[in-house]
Amino acid sequence: MEMKTTTIASVLISVLVVCSLSCAAELLRRFQHAPKANGSLSFLVLGDWGRRGAFNQSQVALQMGIIGEKLDIDFVISTGDNFYDNGLTGIDDPNFEDSFTKIYTAPSLQKQWYNVLGNHDYRGDVEAQLSPVLRELDAKWLCLRSFIVDTEIAELFFVDTTPFVDKYFTHPEDAVYDWSGILPRNHYLSNLLNDLDSALKESTAKWKIVIGHHTIRSAGYHGETKELVTQLLPILLENNVDLYMNGHDHCLEHISSPDSPLQFVTSGGGSKAWKGELSLYNPSEMKLYYDGQGFMSVQITERQVDIAFYDIFGNVLHKWATSNQLYATITM
């Protein structure tokens, strides 16, 4: 009997280990997105947007359509907080169409949208945003917790950052968060970080870009997210990530690293912005801080990455470029 019990226990442990590894692998599902015929890639980045067109969301969308056509974009990235104030109530929530389908109507924006979740999305029904039913309602929508988009010349790693933030668990105030898919939390975060680290190490792409909702470096209202500084940033630095893109702070921002090529870019101006919310930051690292609405574009070739930030009138606020061959950077 003792031997049989031991055998059963061993089998159960093996099953748990396999399940654990399987769940970790599922955290970073991989998608292929081919570049243009000439090998280049272009896309727009938008964050903190879903307000049924209010707070200049519609004006931002208009300019996105114009710039998207000009650059012949391949897709759009959302850095999260897709639907205010409390995510979606379910797959039949009219806010999905009112804040997404009916707003981003330009022909150039009818490309694939790759979306991550923000903290406001976690205040609603998270599974609704992840549901394939929304893809049936609007084919350009794709949202997962964490995933990879492989474009051959660049790999984009989308990271679910909200569960990292302690205060959402310890001091949620009046907010109610949907944690149904990430508990036990420590196990979820450990698997995610390990999976991300492994995927970055295995990547042979010319450019490695990580996208999350929360800031790592920022001079905005929220400032730096200490949990990401201690847990995520070391992985990015160790694996020579080129760009970290985020939202959360409702502004447009570009901060350089003093001791690595890693650049921090915030695109959180999709609708409501926070005027005058600026903390002191090292001017040698702060390349742009704009406390209004807007979005950014990214153009990639094997040799160079070019980023640009735009306001609601389509004016270029800031440009920056880097080469992975000459290790040169250009700022305008």
Side-chain angles (χ1 to χ4, degrees):
M1 177 67 83
E2 182 179 348
M3 183 179 295
K4 185 176 182 180
T5 302
T6 303
T7 302
I8 293 173
S10 299
V11 171
L12 287 174
I13 291 173
S14 298
V15 170
L16 287 172
V17 169
V18 171
C19 288
S20 175
L21 292 174
S22 175
C23 290
E26 289 177 1
L27 283 174
L28 286 178
R29 184 178 171 187
R30 184 178 293 270
F31 298 87
Q32 303 292 327
H33 197 124
K36 296 179 177 66
N38 64 3
S40 68
L41 188 73
S42 59
F43 56 91
L44 303 181
V45 185
L46 174 75
D48 304 85
W49 43 271
R51 297 182 186 272
R52 292 184 165 89
F55 295 100
N56 286 332
Q57 183 192 0
S58 294
Q59 286 83 344
V60 172
L62 175 64
Q63 294 303 326
M64 286 176 64
I66 295 171
I67 300 301
E69 181 177 0
K70 180 180 178 181
L71 299 182
D72 187 21
I73 60 169
D74 298 284
F75 52 83
V76 179
I77 287 175
S78 168
T79 59
D81 275 4
N82 306 317
F83 301 100
Y84 284 95
D85 280 324
N86 298 306
L88 296 178
T89 59
I91 56 175
D92 56 352
D93 189 336
N95 196 16
F96 178 72
E97 290 192 354
D98 293 344
S99 292
F100 180 62
T101 302
K102 294 179 180 178
I103 301 299
Y104 303 103
T105 57
S108 67
L109 302 182
Q110 307 314 301
K111 305 290 179 69
Q112 186 67 67
W113 282 56
Y114 295 111
N115 306 272
V116 291
L117 298 166
N119 53 298
H120 282 270
D121 300 311
Y122 264 96
R123 296 179 183 182
D125 181 351
V126 170
E127 290 299 325
Q129 290 200 46
L130 308 181
S131 173
V133 173
L134 293 192
R135 298 207 70 190
E136 296 175 7
L137 295 175
D138 193 323
K140 64 179 179 288
W141 178 263
L142 177 64
C143 183
L144 290 86
R145 295 182 194 271
S146 299
F147 57 103
I148 299 171
V149 176
D150 183 354
T151 69
E152 297 179 16
I153 61 171
E155 275 194 297
L156 290 77
F157 303 82
F158 294 77
V159 179
D160 184 19
T161 60
T162 300
F164 283 88
V165 182
D166 293 333
K167 69 179 182 180
Y168 301 146
F169 294 84
T170 60
H171 297 87
E173 298 178 346
D174 295 330
V176 177
Y177 293 92
D178 176 8
W179 301 128
S180 56
I182 61 100
L183 299 177
R185 180 189 176 205
N186 288 341
H187 182 73
Y188 176 83
L189 295 179
S190 176
N191 279 341
L192 175 53
L193 290 171
N194 288 335
D195 220 28
L196 176 64
D197 186 42
S198 296
L200 285 168
K201 282 181 167 56
E202 293 168 3
S203 176
T204 58
K206 293 285 186 180
W207 303 97
K208 291 187 279 190
I209 300 171
V210 174
I211 300 100
H213 176 65
H214 290 78
T215 59
I216 292 181
R217 303 293 188 206
S218 176
Y221 173 80
H222 291 297
E224 299 182 352
T225 307
K226 58 182 177 60
E227 295 88 351
L228 297 187
V229 172
T230 58
Q231 298 178 66
L232 181 59
L233 180 57
I235 293 175
L236 306 190
L237 294 172
E238 181 180 342
N239 290 288
N240 301 311
V241 169
D242 298 288
L243 295 171
Y244 177 72
M245 300 177 175
N246 61 271
H248 198 44
D249 269 335
H250 294 191
C251 62
L252 302 176
E253 191 172 20
H254 174 201
I255 296 176
S256 65
S257 298
D259 51 4
S260 84
L262 177 60
Q263 306 292 309
F264 303 93
V265 290
T266 297
S267 185
S271 58
K272 188 177 182 180
W274 296 327
K275 195 72 174 176
E277 293 288 351
L278 173 63
S279 301
L280 292 176
Y281 214 93
N282 188 333
S284 66
E285 298 173 26
M286 177 63 69
K287 306 303 180 183
L288 169 72
Y289 187 90
Y290 177 69
D291 56 358
Q293 296 100 339
F295 60 99
M296 63 177 287
S297 68
V298 182
Q299 297 174 273
I300 302 177
T301 65
E302 281 201 356
R303 296 185 178 185
Q304 186 163 310
V305 169
D306 293 87
I307 65 174
F309 293 83
Y310 307 86
D311 66 13
I312 61 171
F313 305 105
N315 298 317
V316 176
L317 302 168
H318 171 69
K319 284 185 176 182
W320 178 87
T322 187
S323 167
N324 64 4
Q325 288 193 345
L326 301 177
Y327 302 99
T329 60
I330 304 170
T331 302
M332 297 177 62

